[in-house]
């Protein structure tokens, strides 16, 4: 439970902070989507700390880092990391064009895809609670799409707005495939340390992909030019924004991986969606995003769907406890 709380806190802090900082970068004339993609995974060396410190410094475990990390696990991590890199690029396109509040609500559609892929990949059972949650979140995204013409920032064309909108939908689709795939892979992992190790390999792969994009598109040169001449808050503020974004994205991805390992891909997706309403409020408070009637309804549908899921999980747990108690009573009566 302690580890679960820690991971949800990482997800909570990382999800909200990364969305706001990414939008802050674009709002102050940052314009490189490759830079925004690169920072999402470039902080992978930070994961070396939880991998190596417990064994070499704290002596809190007898397992050496990367013990029983098989070639098959390495290959899976590389392949999934490649798709994670593509997902990061789509998220950058969405962040560059959409207001934070809109981007967050659209990204909540990933839960719809997560339920479908969870049923196919990990045989997730469909219940009234999770189906109701998916329907409500789908309605939320549809409402947002229908009202999109009134939500474009000044100077943003309708074409670019919809590029951002559908890029975010695509990111949700890819991430929904990532979650159940990771749940399946984690079924063969016997400790949390291996989860961190796999996450590091995935993010290393995603960083290599983003770095290649940066090199081909002269991204590193543009990064220096952007810091000195483009970013309207100055060079120091630019590099501080980049560094903070690197750290917050690590919190987000590590929190997500931990949630999937400790619970399930669907629960991890639901927890991420629960934070979307907070992201919406963050966009409204920090960037003064428009919060008209359609967004209010969409946010309420998000909250309603998540509450429905939590209530369903609570009822399911109560039924399991009653079933275990009845089995225990029957066993005692049989022994007597």
């Amino acid at each position: 439970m302690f580890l679960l709380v820690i991971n949800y806190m990482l997800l909570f802090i990382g999800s909200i902070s990364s969305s706001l900082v990414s939008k802050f970068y674009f709002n102050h004339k940052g314009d490189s989507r490759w830079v925004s993609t690169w920072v999402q995974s470039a902080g992978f060396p930070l994961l070396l700390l939880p991998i190596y410190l417990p064994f070499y410094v704290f002596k809190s475990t007898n397992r050496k880092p990367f013990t029983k990390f098989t070639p098959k696990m390495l290959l899976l991590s590389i392949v999934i990391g490649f798709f994670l890199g593509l997902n990061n690029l789509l998220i950058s396109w969405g962040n560059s064009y959409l207001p934070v509040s809109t981007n967050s609500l659209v990204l909540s559609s990933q839960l719809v895809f997560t339920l479908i892929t969870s049923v196919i990949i990990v045989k997730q059972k469909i219940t009234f609670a999770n189906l109701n949650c998916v329907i409500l979140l789908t309605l939320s995204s549809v409402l947002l799409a229908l009202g999109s013409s009134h939500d474009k920032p000044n100077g943003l064309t309708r074409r670019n707005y919809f590029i951002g909108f559908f890029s975010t939908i695509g990111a949700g689709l890819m991430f929904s495939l990532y979650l159940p795939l990771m749940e399946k892979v984690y079924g063969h992992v016997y400790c949390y340390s291996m989860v961190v190790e796999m996450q590091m390999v995935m993010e290393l792969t995603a960083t290599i992909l983003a770095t290649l994009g940066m090199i081909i598109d002269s991204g590193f040169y543009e990064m220096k030019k952007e810091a000195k001449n483009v970013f309207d808050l100055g060079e120091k503020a630019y590099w501080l924004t980049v560094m903070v974004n690197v750290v917050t994205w690590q919190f987000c991805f590590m929190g997500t991986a931990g949630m999937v390992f400790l619970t399930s891909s669907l629960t991890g997706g639901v927890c991420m969606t629960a934070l979307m309403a907070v992201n919406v409020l963050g966009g409204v408070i920090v960037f003064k995003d428009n919060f008209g009637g359609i967004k209010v309804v969409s946010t309420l549908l998000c909250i309603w769907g998540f509450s429905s899921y939590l209530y369903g999980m609570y009822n399911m747990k109560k039924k399991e406890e009653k079933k275990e108690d009845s089995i225990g009573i029957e066993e005692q009566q049989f022994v007597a």
Side-chain angles (χ1 to χ4, degrees):
M1 181 58 69
F2 175 75
L3 194 57
L4 186 63
V5 171
I6 291 295
N7 276 273
Y8 191 73
M9 289 304 297
L10 287 174
L11 178 59
F12 180 87
I13 296 170
S15 176
I16 297 170
S17 302
S18 59
S19 294
L20 294 177
V21 175
S22 293
K23 191 60 185 179
F24 179 84
Y25 164 79
F26 286 112
N27 278 359
H28 291 280
K29 299 186 179 179
D31 192 40
S32 175
R33 290 166 191 84
W34 278 115
V35 170
S36 182
T37 302
W38 185 76
V39 299
Q40 291 180 53
S41 56
F44 71 88
L46 294 173
L47 297 180
L48 292 172
L49 297 177
I51 290 174
Y52 285 98
L53 288 182
F55 181 79
Y56 289 104
V57 178
F58 301 127
K59 310 294 183 183
S60 58
T61 178
N62 294 322
R63 178 185 175 273
K64 286 186 177 181
F66 292 96
T67 299
K68 295 186 179 180
F69 198 87
T70 64
K72 183 179 179 180
M73 290 175 64
L74 178 62
L75 180 61
L76 281 171
S77 299
I78 291 173
V79 171
I80 295 173
F82 174 78
F83 286 104
L84 183 63
L86 293 178
N87 179 78
N88 291 346
L89 181 59
L90 290 174
I91 289 176
S92 296
W93 276 86
N95 276 332
S96 66
Y97 287 134
L98 298 182
V100 171
S101 52
T102 305
N103 185 65
S104 298
L105 286 169
V106 175
L107 199 56
S108 68
S109 65
Q110 60 88 16
L111 191 57
V112 181
F113 308 129
T114 300
L115 177 62
I116 296 170
T117 52
S118 294
V119 169
I120 297 171
I121 297 173
V122 295
K123 312 302 180 186
Q124 172 74 45
K125 291 182 179 179
I126 296 180
T127 64
F128 173 77
N130 56 35
L131 186 60
N132 184 53
C133 179
V134 166
I135 291 172
L136 290 171
L137 289 172
T138 303
L139 287 174
S140 172
S141 293
V142 169
L143 277 175
L144 198 63
L146 293 175
S148 61
S149 60
H150 304 292
D151 193 39
K152 297 193 298 292
N154 294 330
L156 181 64
T157 65
R158 187 178 182 84
R159 175 180 174 273
N160 285 345
Y161 185 94
F162 277 103
I163 288 175
F165 186 89
F166 288 109
S167 292
T168 306
I169 289 287
L173 178 59
M174 293 192 71
F175 205 70
S176 69
L177 184 62
Y178 163 81
L179 291 176
L181 276 177
M182 290 316 303
E183 182 180 352
K184 187 130 182 119
V185 171
Y186 289 160
H188 304 284
V189 169
Y190 66 90
C191 66
Y192 182 76
S193 297
M194 293 183 77
V195 173
V196 183
E197 291 161 2
M198 290 189 71
Q199 188 67 24
M200 196 198 78
V201 175
M202 288 178 215
E203 294 192 36
L204 171 60
T205 305
T207 303
I208 291 172
L209 179 65
T211 301
L212 288 174
M214 292 272 283
I215 292 171
I216 294 170
D217 201 34
S218 302
F220 290 106
Y221 170 76
E222 289 297 325
M223 200 176 187
K224 292 180 182 179
K225 181 180 176 183
E226 200 171 60
K228 291 182 178 179
N229 305 319
V230 179
F231 200 68
D232 61 12
L233 295 180
E235 189 173 356
K236 289 183 179 179
Y238 179 86
W239 293 115
L240 181 62
T241 301
V242 169
M243 287 188 290
V244 171
N245 217 359
V246 165
V247 175
T248 55
W249 275 111
Q250 285 309 300
F251 284 178
C252 185
F253 282 127
M254 198 58 247
T256 303
M259 290 295 295
V260 173
F261 174 68
L262 296 168
T263 56
S264 69
S265 55
L266 185 59
T267 301
V270 168
C271 289
M272 289 179 64
T273 303
L275 295 175
M276 295 303 173
V278 182
N279 281 349
V280 170
L281 295 177
V284 172
I285 294 169
V286 177
F287 299 118
K288 310 302 180 185
D289 287 352
N290 176 46
F291 197 62
I294 289 179
K295 278 191 184 176
V296 171
V297 174
S298 294
T299 303
L300 290 175
L301 286 173
C302 276
I303 295 171
W304 182 10
F306 178 66
S307 300
S308 170
Y309 184 83
L310 285 183
Y311 182 70
M313 292 289 289
Y314 172 78
N315 283 338
M316 187 181 297
K317 186 176 179 181
K318 295 293 288 184
K319 288 179 181 178
E320 289 176 355
E321 289 176 353
K322 286 181 180 179
K323 187 176 180 180
E324 289 175 1
D325 291 341
S326 62
I327 292 174
I329 292 171
E330 289 175 2
E331 288 178 349
Q332 290 176 1
Q333 289 175 347
F334 178 78
V335 172

